[in-house]
Amino acid sequence: MARLEAILKRFREIYPGSAAPRAWRAPGRVNLIGEHTDYNLGLVMPMAIQLECVVTAAPSSSGLLRVYSEELASSAEWPVANIGELRRRGDWSDRVAGVAWELSRRGATIAAQDLLISSTVPLGGGLSSSAALGVAVMLALGGPRDPLELAQLARAAETGFVGVPVGIMDQFVAARGRAGAAILLDCGSLEFREVRLPEGIAIVAANSMVRHELGGSAYRRRVEECAEAARVLGVKCLREAAASRLSELAGAPLLRARHVITENARVEEFAAAAERGDVEKMGITLIESHRSLRDDYQVSCAELDFLVETALSVPGVLGARMTGGGFGGSTVNLLRKEAVPALESALLEKYPEKFGWRPEIHVCIASDGASQLL
Ligand code: GLA
């Protein structure tokens, strides 16, 4: 693998004279459907993709945990003697510190070592660069090999240290994705199954290349509004709320709950349609999901709406919607394979005309979850 060779060469340049390194990878993901349902213990259907984060690591005698990010050209270090007392710095390095902190909180000893992060998952692109990083670092620092435990610990690092109240979807699929399949996961019971997509269709992610500032605070706000809706309805989480009770809600909790309840139903419809090869129905479900995210959950933005509308005007495109947290990031498109070039040219032509910059297009390949490379 030429990329791994290049990464090892960089490792030796950045950490000259270090011991022989080992390497792990974890993939990014595109969520096909089931958006903002994971922290409501609902259903999601993500797919691990070929874009991935590689973490290379070698033991050192420095007494430090050192890390260098190739994409950000930035480094950070912490004395391993007091990992338990680490505090958030408010930058990318929190994702590494958080993993070390979570492991040490659970009784693991973090050895002094040097880490190199090299990722092809676009940062802030809605394709889960953070979970890919968290899961790969978790493996590099000696975390659990069992995919579920791995995902749970990586998520705990994100919620407990980095402080974002995320659900388990991204870490789970980064740990347990499967080549050739999407993963239908019940975030309440953690039961899952692999769903193969019908022959002849392609999944394409289009990165808007924007990340609106609102993202972080709005995510938190949505989590709170869902909790508020659940409280009013007297249920533990929105997964347990029935559509017939929506009339008891008003304002933001009503809109948020309506999205979550209908989205859970759409995941089931989408998975069933995929299993019987009904690609038209799959597409319609994606379109409905986008509408619900735009109008009820209110996490879309002009760039994502435009990417979706433009995609839907291309013959052979069956459905499109925003994917991930929203407020920028990417859309996911479901289309007939032969329509890929037409979709690419439509997006690459029309989006820059409107916004002034190019989107990034990725034809997604369903890939395996995290693994050791070396
Ligand atoms: C982010 C979070 C996930 C999930 C999605 C929205 O990607 O990390 O846990 O909540 O947003 O579906």
Side-chain angles (χ1 to χ4, degrees), residues 37 74 94 145 149 163 198 221 271 280 311 363:
T37 45
S74 169
D94 286 345
R145 270 36 186 172
E149 261 183 82
R221 186 95 198 87
E280 309 273 347
V363 179

Side-chain angles (χ1 to χ4, degrees), residues 29 31 34-39 166-170 219 324-325:
R29 62 99 187 93
N31 186 21
E35 214 65 81
H36 289 279
T37 45
D38 62 352
Y39 51 82
V166 295
I168 194 145
M169 168 170 73
D170 299 348
Y219 188 93

Side-chain angles (χ1 to χ4, degrees), residues 349-370:
E349 187 194 318
K350 301 209 175 111
Y351 186 82
E353 265 169 30
K354 170 114 175 146
F355 294 103
W357 63 89
R358 284 162 67 88
E360 212 174 71
I361 316 278
H362 303 280
V363 179
C364 297
I365 303 169
S367 304
D368 276 330

Side-chain angles (χ1 to χ4, degrees), residues 44-67:
V44 294
M45 195 168 151
M47 175 177 118
I49 58 176
Q50 74 276 17
L51 304 174
E52 62 184 18
C53 177
V54 174
V55 174
T56 317
S60 87
S61 52
S62 61
L64 299 169
L65 172 61
R66 292 193 291 208
V67 58

